[in-house]
Amino acid sequence: MYNMPNKHGLLLIKWSGTLLCLIGIALTSFNIYPANIVFGLIGSGLWTLAGVVQNDAPLVLVEAVATVLYFIGVVVYIIHALTAWGIL
């Protein structure tokens, strides 16, 4: 079992996740890749954590799916980069 963060800790997680998600959205709008998916991954990961702590199933579902998709995007980017460099 884990210790639930206090109210201020949860607020920090939520606001940090919000800020990082918004940065990811802004980077996407300016087509700055792959930084957009890295910020989105971390932001959505924090929101997934907040949803788990709050026992909020819809929030966990949406953000966990977003986190998985962002993670896949990071993996695909790494694979393409390694292929382009002739490592794979």
Side-chain angles (χ1 to χ4, degrees), residues 2-87:
Y2 60 91
N3 292 332
M4 291 185 57
N6 60 24
K7 182 179 178 181
H8 297 293
L10 182 59
L11 280 174
L12 179 62
I13 291 169
K14 290 165 74 173
W15 279 110
S16 298
T18 298
L19 178 63
L20 293 171
C21 283
L22 290 173
I23 291 171
I25 291 166
L27 292 172
T28 298
S29 69
F30 295 111
N31 201 25
I32 300 174
Y33 178 80
N36 60 336
I37 57 177
V38 172
F39 278 92
L41 171 66
I42 298 168
S44 288
L46 288 172
W47 268 106
T48 302
L49 176 61
V52 168
V53 168
Q54 296 177 100
N55 198 26
D56 186 342
L59 180 61
V60 171
L61 176 63
V62 168
E63 294 302 331
V65 169
T67 301
V68 168
L69 292 174
Y70 279 128
F71 182 77
I72 292 169
V74 169
V75 170
V76 167
Y77 174 80
I78 291 170
I79 290 170
H80 283 167
L82 292 175
T83 302
W85 296 338
I87 296 173

